[in-house]
Amino acid sequence: MKSIWMDTTMIPRRNSLTGNKRTEVVIIGAGMAGILTAFYLQRHGVHVVILEANRIGSGQSGFTTAKITSQHNLIYQKLEKSVGKEQARLYGKANQLAVEEYGKLITRNSIQCHYEKKDAYLYSVQESKKLLKEAEIAKELGLPASFVQETNLPFSVCGAVRFTGQAQFNPLEFLEEISSGITIYERTKVLKVHGHDVITDRGVIKAEKIVFASHYPFVNIPGFYFAKMYQEKSYVLELDPVDNLSGMYLGVDKKAYSLRNYDGRLLLGYGSHRTGKAPDTDPFITMRQTAEHLFPQSKILRGWTAQDCMTLDGIPYIGTYSAFRPDWYVATGFGKWGMSSSMVAAKMLSLQITGKRTPYDSVFSPRRHHIKASALRAAEHGLESVKGLSAGIRPGAVNCPHLGCRMIWNQYDKRWECPCHGSGFEINGKICAGPAQRSLPFID
């Protein structure tokens, strides 16, 4: 399923890699994080090459709802409790600076990408206590937060957290402009990485530094990201016409909705579940019913799904891939907030790779150990992985080539999915989402 961005933005094709090459930095993945990292590295005078298995922005950057915001659900009260006020403050500051950097970059370079400044709202139709607390904590941490009781939504709310000065845009239009001066090889699949050699299906690139910006890191050891990350799916409908909302909205109740406008249309988001554990009912049917009730004059133009990497403590992994690979770097686990997180990653990694430190290194370090923040999720993730691996040893099981978990058929997306780590495959077994690197054997 194509998203609205993919259907309305045609980024010119790039050539594939031909033969072997050398460079200072190789970035694996031409999404928002990879391209922004390359953009800032080039500003530092570093020679960069990006390798992309498919097309620019064809991964999760092409399926996002593209809200540029430091408001990441009810995260700040959780972070203050689990990692402390200072770490929570740095997390918020890094993301708010990322929001502001997009505005500066777009204005300075006259990028035409439907960029609009809009306030971001967290809302609830059930209660206001947790929203009031979130607003108070976020404001104490230096963020532009306040509690309000009135919104522009077509239904009543008990309250909302408002973040001023946030934004939205068309991510592929932005990527088309920002990538124009970057060397990118499309249709070039990375097969393996050994030391400083990136081995692809079209040649080998030797690099001093390597950045994994490919959504889910596919090298299992070292790093062990499969043990500290999983994936979640959500759903989006595009409605037209719909009156313009004054802000971007995300509900915090169970079965709540996300809403944002784009060019006279509305993107209605819904649902969140672990990849490989499809809901009992079709989410798109539920969304259609809601759309008919709230926006009876509109029609549904299309729908699509998004898939996001979730870390155990809710903070992305940005920094050195492993203590055993000091020249490898990673940006992953954005937890449905890929636009601000991509900018945070780009600014951090471009400095780290050029030998500098940032105030945020410890917050996002892939080697951090937030036991209090991640213990419960670690136990849940471990249980799901054990169940998937155990099922994978049964005779006749369709197993994921990543680590051998038993595949689940998703009847709504019409594809095979791994409940352990989120790899996805078309009905014929062709791979369409990692961390798996190989397709399944032919499936009848």
Side-chain angles (χ1 to χ4, degrees), residues 235-237 239 257-259 266-270 287 290-291 295:
Y235 304 81
V236 184
L237 282 184
L239 310 178
Y257 288 87
S258 163
L259 305 93
L266 180 76
L267 304 187
L268 183 68
Y270 173 77
M287 296 171 73
T290 298
F295 309 102

Side-chain angles (χ1 to χ4, degrees), residues 232-244:
E232 284 192 0
K233 300 198 76 166
S234 52
Y235 304 81
V236 184
L237 282 184
E238 177 192 346
L239 310 178
D240 180 53
V242 176
D243 291 339
N244 189 50

Side-chain angles (χ1 to χ4, degrees), residues 113-165:
C113 59
H114 288 80
Y115 174 80
E116 295 179 83
K117 283 192 173 182
K118 283 204 171 186
D119 294 345
Y121 294 80
L122 289 178
Y123 72 88
S124 172
V125 299
Q126 297 176 354
E127 56 103 355
S128 61
K129 185 177 179 180
K130 58 188 176 184
L131 293 171
L132 182 58
K133 183 178 180 181
E134 182 73 8
E136 290 174 346
I137 292 175
K139 187 175 181 179
E140 288 176 4
L141 296 175
L143 294 163
S146 61
F147 176 78
V148 299
Q149 292 179 296
E150 298 292 332
T151 71
N152 191 223
L153 290 167
F155 50 83
S156 298
V157 302
C158 290
V161 181
R162 177 187 180 187
F163 272 41
T164 57

Side-chain angles (χ1 to χ4, degrees), residues 161-183:
V161 181
R162 177 187 180 187
F163 272 41
T164 57
Q166 312 299 292
Q168 61 184 34
F169 69 162
N170 179 324
L172 295 193
E173 287 180 344
F174 175 81
L175 285 179
E176 180 177 6
E177 291 281 340
I178 211 71
S179 65
S180 61
I182 300 171
T183 300

Side-chain angles (χ1 to χ4, degrees), residues 27-95:
I27 297 175
I28 304 169
M32 190 64 70
I35 288 177
L36 278 174
T37 301
F39 177 84
Y40 286 106
L41 280 171
Q42 288 193 166
R43 278 190 167 186
H44 290 296
V46 178
H47 187 267
V48 187
V49 166
I50 298 180
L51 301 174
E52 169 56 48
N54 197 344
R55 298 289 320 284
I56 293 171
S58 62
Q60 297 314 304
S61 296
F63 294 95
T64 176
T65 53
K67 299 174 182 176
I68 309 172
T69 178
S70 59
Q71 185 190 74
H72 296 174
N73 211 314
L74 295 169
I75 193 170
Y76 292 106
Q77 55 190 289
K78 295 176 183 176
L79 290 182
E80 186 182 61
K81 184 178 180 180
S82 61
V83 302
K85 191 168 186 175
E86 180 58 16
Q87 294 286 87
R89 184 189 69 80
L90 287 170
Y91 176 94
K93 183 178 180 180
N95 280 281

Side-chain angles (χ1 to χ4, degrees), residues 249-265:
Y249 294 88
L250 175 65
V252 299
D253 305 321
K254 192 174 182 180
K255 298 183 179 180
Y257 288 87
S258 163
L259 305 93
R260 67 148 288 194
N261 285 106
Y262 174 74
D263 200 21
R265 308 168 200 178

Side-chain angles (χ1 to χ4, degrees), residues 35 189 204 290 306 309 393 419 441:
I35 288 177
K189 183 177 178 59
V204 178
T290 298
C309 291
I393 64 174

